[in-house]
Amino acid sequence: MTASPASAAQARGLFVLASSSPRRRDLLNQIGIVPDVIAPAEIDETPLRRELPARMARRLARAKAEAVAVAHPGALVLGADSVVAAGRRALPKAETEDEARACLALLSGRRHRVHAGVCAIAPDGRRAERLVTTTVTFKRLTPAEIAGYLATGEWHGKAGGYAIQGRAGAFVRFVSGSYSAVVGLPLAETAALLTGLGFPPRWVASSGC
C-alpha cells in the first residue's frame, strides 16, 4: 500500500519556511525545528486600502504560506509576517534612513503594537492560523539616540525601523505579550499550531514526555 503524501511528509519531517528571515530561522532552531527548505514568498506586501494592521499581518502570513505551498506539495509550509502599528497605522519595513528615522520619531515615548501572523499548511491541505499581538513601549528618544541607532544599520528591512533583539533593546521600557513575536515569530503559539497539525517540534516528539 502506498503511503499518502501527508504520511510520507511526516515520516521524513519535511518542513518549508516561507521566509528568508534569519531571525525566524534562529527562533525555530531554538525550539528544535530546522527547516529543510528556505523558500521566501514573492508576494506584494502593500497594505490594502483601509486595511487594519492586525488584519494585514494575518493576510500576509496566509498569502506567503499559500504561495510557497503550491511549489512544495507534500510538505508542511510555515508562513509568517509581522506588522508594527502606531494606532491604526501600519509602519513600513524601513528601507531608507529617512523611513527608519520617521518610524523611531513616531514610536519615541509612546506605546505601540506588534501584530504577528502565522499560517501553517499541512501536506493534506489542512491549515492553521494564529495572530499574536504584543504591546511595546519605547522611552523618549533623543535626536542623538536616533542618529546613533541609524548609524548601526540594524533598522534596515525591519518593521517599524527597529530590531528589539539588537541595540534597540535599550529603547524598550515595557513589553506585554510575546517577546519572540516582536523578534519575528511567536514561539509558543507556533509550536502549538504545528503540533495541532501533527508536526510537533522534533525534541517534543522524541522526548517521551
Side-chain angles (χ1 to χ4, degrees):
M1 182 176 178
T2 303
S4 68
S7 61
Q10 283 183 296
R12 66 177 181 267
L14 187 62
F15 185 96
V16 179
L17 176 61
S19 172
S20 61
S21 168
R23 300 176 300 282
R24 293 192 178 111
R25 293 200 301 271
D26 290 345
L27 287 167
L28 285 171
N29 291 346
Q30 186 177 320
I31 59 172
I33 297 177
V34 179
D36 299 290
V37 179
I38 303 296
E42 300 297 332
I43 65 168
D44 183 359
E45 298 190 28
T46 304
L48 301 179
R49 187 168 180 266
R50 296 182 179 176
E51 184 175 42
L52 295 176
R55 187 170 297 177
M56 177 182 171
R58 185 187 290 273
R59 175 180 64 83
L60 291 178
R62 183 187 307 124
K64 290 178 180 179
E66 290 175 343
V68 172
V70 171
H72 294 84
L76 175 72
V77 177
L78 181 71
D81 193 80
S82 298
V83 176
V84 174
R88 295 166 64 89
R89 175 183 175 186
L91 301 188
K93 294 180 180 177
E95 295 297 333
T96 67
E97 280 198 10
D98 286 344
E99 280 188 330
R101 183 180 291 105
C103 288
L104 292 172
L106 182 62
L107 298 178
S108 174
R110 65 180 293 179
R111 182 176 61 184
H112 64 276
R113 290 183 173 85
V114 179
H115 303 287
V118 184
C119 177
I121 301 178
D124 60 5
R126 289 177 300 133
R127 66 181 61 198
E129 299 181 7
R130 294 286 174 89
L131 178 70
V132 177
T133 297
T134 302
T135 300
V136 181
T137 302
F138 269 21
K139 71 171 188 173
R140 188 169 297 281
L141 306 179
T142 67
E145 286 174 320
I146 292 177
Y149 186 69
L150 292 175
T152 70
E154 275 188 358
W155 52 268
H156 189 264
K158 305 298 192 302
Y162 76 93
I164 195 172
Q165 74 278 16
R167 295 179 187 179
F171 302 158
V172 179
R173 297 185 60 187
F174 177 77
V175 177
S176 177
S178 171
Y179 175 84
S180 66
V182 183
V183 177
L185 192 70
L187 287 182
E189 293 80 5
T190 298
L193 179 152
L194 296 175
T195 300
L197 289 177
F199 290 79
R202 291 180 175 92
W203 67 269
V204 174
S206 62
S207 67
C209 297

Coordinates of all heavy atoms in Angstrom, one line a residue, residues 84-142:
V84 N 4.2 46.3 12.6 CA 4.3 47.2 13.7 C 3.3 48.3 13.5 O 3.2 48.9 12.4 CB 5.7 47.9 13.8 CG1 5.8 48.9 14.9 CG2 6.7 46.8 14.1
A85 N 2.5 48.6 14.5 CA 1.4 49.5 14.3 C 1.4 50.6 15.4 O 1.6 50.4 16.6 CB 0.0 48.8 14.4
A86 N 1.3 51.8 14.9 CA 1.1 53.0 15.8 C -0.3 53.4 15.6 O -0.7 54.0 14.6 CB 2.0 54.1 15.4
G87 N -1.2 53.0 16.6 CA -2.6 53.2 16.5 C -3.1 52.4 15.3 O -2.9 51.2 15.3
R88 N -3.8 53.0 14.4 CA -4.4 52.2 13.3 C -3.5 52.2 12.1 O -3.8 51.7 11.0 CB -5.8 52.8 12.9 CG -6.8 52.6 14.0 CD -8.0 53.5 13.7 NE -8.7 53.1 12.5 CZ -9.7 52.2 12.5 NH1 -10.1 51.6 13.6 NH2 -10.3 51.9 11.3
R89 N -2.3 52.8 12.2 CA -1.4 52.9 11.1 C -0.3 51.9 11.2 O 0.4 51.6 12.2 CB -0.7 54.3 11.2 CG 0.4 54.6 10.2 CD 1.0 55.9 10.5 NE 2.1 56.2 9.6 CZ 2.9 57.3 9.7 NH1 2.7 58.2 10.6 NH2 3.9 57.4 8.8
A90 N -0.1 51.2 10.0 CA 0.9 50.2 9.9 C 2.2 50.9 9.4 O 2.2 51.6 8.4 CB 0.5 49.1 8.9
L91 N 3.3 50.7 10.2 CA 4.6 51.3 9.8 C 5.3 50.4 8.8 O 5.1 49.2 8.8 CB 5.4 51.4 11.1 CG 4.8 52.3 12.2 CD1 5.9 52.6 13.3 CD2 4.3 53.6 11.6
P92 N 6.1 51.0 8.0 CA 6.8 50.2 6.9 C 8.0 49.4 7.4 O 8.4 49.6 8.6 CB 7.3 51.3 6.0 CG 7.6 52.5 6.9 CD 6.4 52.4 7.9
K93 N 8.4 48.5 6.6 CA 9.7 47.8 6.8 C 10.7 48.7 6.2 O 10.8 48.8 5.0 CB 9.7 46.4 6.2 CG 8.7 45.5 6.8 CD 8.7 44.1 6.2 CE 7.7 43.2 6.8 NZ 7.6 41.9 6.2
A94 N 11.4 49.4 7.1 CA 12.3 50.6 6.7 C 13.3 50.1 5.7 O 14.1 49.2 5.9 CB 12.9 51.2 7.9
E95 N 13.4 50.8 4.6 CA 14.4 50.6 3.5 C 15.3 51.7 3.4 O 16.4 51.6 2.8 CB 13.7 50.3 2.2 CG 12.8 49.1 2.2 CD 13.7 47.8 2.4 OE1 14.9 47.8 2.0 OE2 13.1 46.8 2.9
T96 N 15.0 52.9 4.0 CA 15.9 54.1 3.9 C 16.0 54.6 5.3 O 15.2 54.4 6.2 CB 15.3 55.1 3.0 OG1 14.1 55.7 3.5 CG2 15.0 54.6 1.6
E97 N 17.1 55.4 5.5 CA 17.3 56.1 6.8 C 16.1 57.0 7.1 O 15.7 57.1 8.3 CB 18.6 56.8 6.8 CG 19.8 56.0 7.1 CD 21.0 56.8 7.5 OE1 20.9 58.0 7.8 OE2 22.1 56.2 7.6
D98 N 15.6 57.7 6.1 CA 14.5 58.6 6.3 C 13.3 57.8 6.9 O 12.6 58.3 7.8 CB 14.2 59.4 5.0 CG 15.2 60.4 4.7 OD1 16.0 60.8 5.6 OD2 15.2 60.9 3.6
E99 N 13.0 56.7 6.3 CA 11.9 55.9 6.8 C 12.1 55.4 8.2 O 11.2 55.5 9.0 CB 11.7 54.6 5.9 CG 11.0 54.9 4.6 CD 10.6 53.6 3.8 OE1 11.4 52.6 4.0 OE2 9.6 53.6 3.1
A100 N 13.3 54.9 8.5 CA 13.6 54.5 9.8 C 13.5 55.6 10.8 O 13.0 55.5 11.9 CB 15.0 53.8 9.9
R101 N 14.1 56.8 10.5 CA 14.0 57.9 11.4 C 12.6 58.4 11.7 O 12.3 58.7 12.8 CB 14.8 59.1 10.7 CG 14.9 60.3 11.6 CD 15.6 61.5 11.0 NE 17.0 61.2 10.8 CZ 17.6 60.9 9.7 NH1 16.9 60.8 8.6 NH2 18.9 60.7 9.6
A102 N 11.8 58.4 10.6 CA 10.4 58.7 10.8 C 9.7 57.7 11.8 O 8.9 58.1 12.6 CB 9.6 58.8 9.5
C103 N 10.0 56.4 11.6 CA 9.4 55.4 12.5 C 9.8 55.6 13.9 O 9.0 55.6 14.9 CB 9.8 54.0 12.0 SG 9.0 53.5 10.5
L104 N 11.1 55.8 14.1 CA 11.6 56.0 15.5 C 11.1 57.2 16.2 O 10.8 57.2 17.4 CB 13.1 56.0 15.5 CG 13.8 54.6 15.1 CD1 15.3 54.8 14.9 CD2 13.5 53.6 16.1
A105 N 11.0 58.3 15.4 CA 10.4 59.5 15.9 C 9.0 59.3 16.3 O 8.5 59.9 17.4 CB 10.5 60.6 14.9
L106 N 8.2 58.6 15.6 CA 6.8 58.3 15.9 C 6.7 57.4 17.1 O 5.8 57.6 17.9 CB 6.2 57.7 14.7 CG 4.7 57.4 14.8 CD1 3.9 58.7 14.9 CD2 4.2 56.6 13.5
L107 N 7.6 56.4 17.2 CA 7.5 55.5 18.4 C 8.1 56.0 19.7 O 7.8 55.5 20.7 CB 8.2 54.2 18.0 CG 7.6 53.4 16.8 CD1 8.5 52.2 16.5 CD2 6.2 53.0 17.0
S108 N 8.8 57.1 19.6 CA 9.5 57.6 20.7 C 8.5 58.1 21.8 O 7.6 58.8 21.6 CB 10.3 58.9 20.3 OG 10.9 59.5 21.4
G109 N 8.7 57.5 23.0 CA 7.9 57.9 24.2 C 6.5 57.4 24.2 O 5.7 57.9 25.0
R110 N 6.2 56.5 23.3 CA 4.8 56.0 23.3 C 4.7 54.5 23.1 O 5.7 53.8 22.9 CB 4.1 56.7 22.1 CG 4.6 56.2 20.7 CD 3.9 56.9 19.6 NE 2.5 56.5 19.5 CZ 1.6 56.9 18.6 NH1 2.0 57.8 17.7 NH2 0.4 56.4 18.6
R111 N 3.5 54.0 23.3 CA 3.2 52.6 23.2 C 2.8 52.3 21.8 O 2.1 53.0 21.2 CB 2.1 52.3 24.2 CG 1.7 50.8 24.2 CD 0.6 50.6 25.3 NE -0.6 51.4 25.0 CZ -1.6 51.4 25.8 NH1 -1.6 50.8 27.0 NH2 -2.7 52.1 25.5
H112 N 3.2 51.1 21.3 CA 2.8 50.6 20.0 C 2.5 49.1 20.1 O 2.8 48.5 21.1 CB 3.8 51.0 18.9 CG 5.1 50.3 19.1 ND1 6.1 50.8 19.9 CD2 5.6 49.2 18.5 CE1 7.2 50.0 19.8 NE2 6.9 49.0 19.0
R113 N 2.0 48.6 19.0 CA 1.7 47.2 19.0 C 2.4 46.5 17.8 O 2.5 47.1 16.8 CB 0.1 46.9 18.9 CG -0.6 47.3 20.1 CD -2.1 47.0 20.0 NE -2.8 47.2 21.3 CZ -3.2 48.4 21.7 NH1 -3.1 49.5 20.9 NH2 -3.8 48.5 22.9
V114 N 2.8 45.2 18.1 CA 3.4 44.4 17.0 C 2.4 43.2 16.8 O 2.2 42.4 17.7 CB 4.8 43.9 17.4 CG1 5.3 43.0 16.3 CG2 5.7 45.1 17.7
H115 N 1.9 43.1 15.6 CA 1.0 42.0 15.2 C 1.8 41.0 14.5 O 2.4 41.3 13.4 CB -0.2 42.6 14.4 CG -1.0 43.7 15.0 ND1 -1.8 43.4 16.1 CD2 -1.0 45.0 14.8 CE1 -2.4 44.5 16.5 NE2 -1.9 45.5 15.7
A116 N 1.8 39.8 14.9 CA 2.5 38.7 14.3 C 1.5 37.7 13.8 O 0.8 37.0 14.6 CB 3.5 38.0 15.3
G117 N 1.4 37.5 12.5 CA 0.6 36.5 11.9 C 1.4 35.3 11.5 O 2.5 35.3 11.1
V118 N 0.8 34.1 11.8 CA 1.4 32.8 11.5 C 0.4 31.9 10.8 O -0.7 31.8 11.2 CB 1.9 32.1 12.7 CG1 2.7 30.8 12.4 CG2 2.8 33.0 13.5
C119 N 0.8 31.3 9.7 CA -0.1 30.3 9.0 C 0.7 29.1 8.6 O 1.8 29.2 8.0 CB -0.6 31.0 7.7 SG -1.7 29.9 6.7
A120 N 0.2 27.9 8.9 CA 0.9 26.7 8.5 C -0.1 25.9 7.7 O -1.3 25.8 8.0 CB 1.2 25.9 9.8
I121 N 0.4 25.3 6.6 CA -0.4 24.5 5.7 C 0.2 23.1 5.7 O 1.4 22.9 5.3 CB -0.4 25.1 4.3 CG1 -1.0 26.5 4.3 CG2 -1.2 24.2 3.3 CD1 -1.1 27.2 2.9
A122 N -0.6 22.1 6.0 CA -0.1 20.7 6.1 C -0.1 20.1 4.7 O -0.8 20.6 3.8 CB -1.0 19.9 7.0
P123 N 0.6 18.9 4.5 CA 0.6 18.3 3.2 C -0.8 17.9 2.6 O -1.0 17.9 1.4 CB 1.4 17.0 3.4 CG 2.3 17.4 4.6 CD 1.5 18.3 5.5
D124 N -1.7 17.6 3.6 CA -3.1 17.3 3.1 C -4.0 18.5 2.9 O -5.2 18.3 2.7 CB -3.7 16.3 4.1 CG -3.9 16.8 5.5 OD1 -3.6 18.0 5.7 OD2 -4.2 16.1 6.4
G125 N -3.5 19.7 3.0 CA -4.3 20.9 2.8 C -4.8 21.5 4.0 O -5.4 22.6 4.0
R126 N -4.8 20.8 5.2 CA -5.2 21.4 6.4 C -4.4 22.6 6.7 O -3.2 22.6 6.4 CB -5.2 20.4 7.6 CG -6.2 19.3 7.5 CD -6.0 18.3 8.6 NE -4.6 17.7 8.6 CZ -3.8 17.6 9.6 NH1 -4.2 18.1 10.8 NH2 -2.6 17.1 9.5
R127 N -5.0 23.6 7.4 CA -4.2 24.8 7.7 C -4.6 25.3 9.1 O -5.7 25.0 9.6 CB -4.4 25.9 6.7 CG -5.8 26.4 6.6 CD -5.8 27.5 5.5 NE -5.5 27.0 4.2 CZ -5.1 27.7 3.1 NH1 -5.0 29.0 3.3 NH2 -4.8 27.1 2.0
A128 N -3.7 26.0 9.7 CA -4.0 26.6 11.0 C -3.3 28.0 11.0 O -2.2 28.2 10.4 CB -3.4 25.7 12.1
E129 N -4.0 28.9 11.7 CA -3.5 30.3 11.7 C -3.6 30.8 13.1 O -4.4 30.4 13.9 CB -4.4 31.2 10.8 CG -4.3 30.8 9.3 CD -5.2 31.7 8.5 OE1 -5.7 32.7 9.0 OE2 -5.3 31.4 7.3
R130 N -2.7 31.7 13.4 CA -2.7 32.4 14.7 C -2.3 33.9 14.4 O -1.5 34.2 13.5 CB -1.7 31.8 15.7 CG -2.0 30.4 16.1 CD -3.1 30.4 17.1 NE -3.5 29.0 17.4 CZ -2.9 28.3 18.4 NH1 -2.0 28.8 19.2 NH2 -3.3 27.0 18.6
L131 N -2.9 34.7 15.3 CA -2.5 36.2 15.3 C -2.1 36.5 16.7 O -2.9 36.3 17.6 CB -3.6 37.1 14.8 CG -3.3 38.6 14.8 CD1 -2.2 38.9 13.8 CD2 -4.5 39.4 14.6
V132 N -0.9 37.0 16.9 CA -0.4 37.3 18.3 C -0.1 38.8 18.3 O 0.7 39.3 17.5 CB 0.8 36.5 18.6 CG1 1.3 36.9 20.0 CG2 0.5 35.0 18.6
T133 N -0.7 39.5 19.3 CA -0.4 40.9 19.4 C 0.3 41.2 20.7 O -0.1 40.8 21.8 CB -1.7 41.7 19.4 OG1 -2.4 41.5 18.1 CG2 -1.5 43.2 19.5
T134 N 1.4 41.9 20.5 CA 2.3 42.3 21.7 C 2.4 43.8 21.8 O 2.5 44.5 20.8 CB 3.7 41.7 21.5 OG1 3.6 40.3 21.4 CG2 4.6 42.0 22.7
T135 N 2.3 44.3 23.0 CA 2.4 45.8 23.2 C 3.8 46.1 23.7 O 4.4 45.4 24.5 CB 1.4 46.2 24.3 OG1 0.1 45.9 23.9 CG2 1.6 47.7 24.6
V136 N 4.4 47.1 23.0 CA 5.8 47.5 23.3 C 5.8 49.0 23.6 O 5.1 49.8 22.9 CB 6.7 47.3 22.1 CG1 8.2 47.7 22.5 CG2 6.7 45.8 21.8
T137 N 6.5 49.4 24.7 CA 6.6 50.9 25.0 C 8.0 51.3 24.9 O 8.9 50.7 25.5 CB 6.0 51.2 26.4 OG1 4.7 50.7 26.5 CG2 6.1 52.7 26.7
F138 N 8.2 52.4 24.1 CA 9.6 53.0 24.0 C 9.7 54.1 25.0 O 8.8 54.8 25.3 CB 9.8 53.5 22.6 CG 10.4 52.6 21.6 CD1 10.3 51.2 21.8 CD2 11.0 53.1 20.4 CE1 10.8 50.3 20.8 CE2 11.5 52.2 19.5 CZ 11.5 50.8 19.7
K139 N 10.9 54.3 25.4 CA 11.3 55.5 26.2 C 11.3 56.7 25.2 O 11.3 56.5 24.0 CB 12.6 55.4 26.9 CG 13.8 55.4 26.0 CD 15.1 55.4 26.8 CE 16.3 55.7 25.9 NZ 17.5 55.9 26.6
R140 N 11.4 57.9 25.7 CA 11.5 59.0 24.8 C 12.9 59.1 24.3 O 13.9 59.0 25.0 CB 11.2 60.3 25.6 CG 11.1 61.5 24.6 CD 10.5 62.7 25.3 NE 9.1 62.5 25.7 CZ 8.1 62.5 24.9 NH1 8.2 62.8 23.7 NH2 6.9 62.3 25.4
L141 N 13.1 59.1 23.0 CA 14.4 59.0 22.3 C 14.9 60.4 22.0 O 14.2 61.3 21.6 CB 14.3 58.2 21.0 CG 13.7 56.8 21.1 CD1 13.7 56.2 19.8 CD2 14.5 56.0 22.1
T142 N 16.2 60.6 22.3 CA 16.8 61.9 21.9 C 17.3 61.9 20.5 O 17.4 60.8 19.9 CB 18.0 62.2 22.8 OG1 19.0 61.2 22.5 CG2 17.7 62.1 24.3

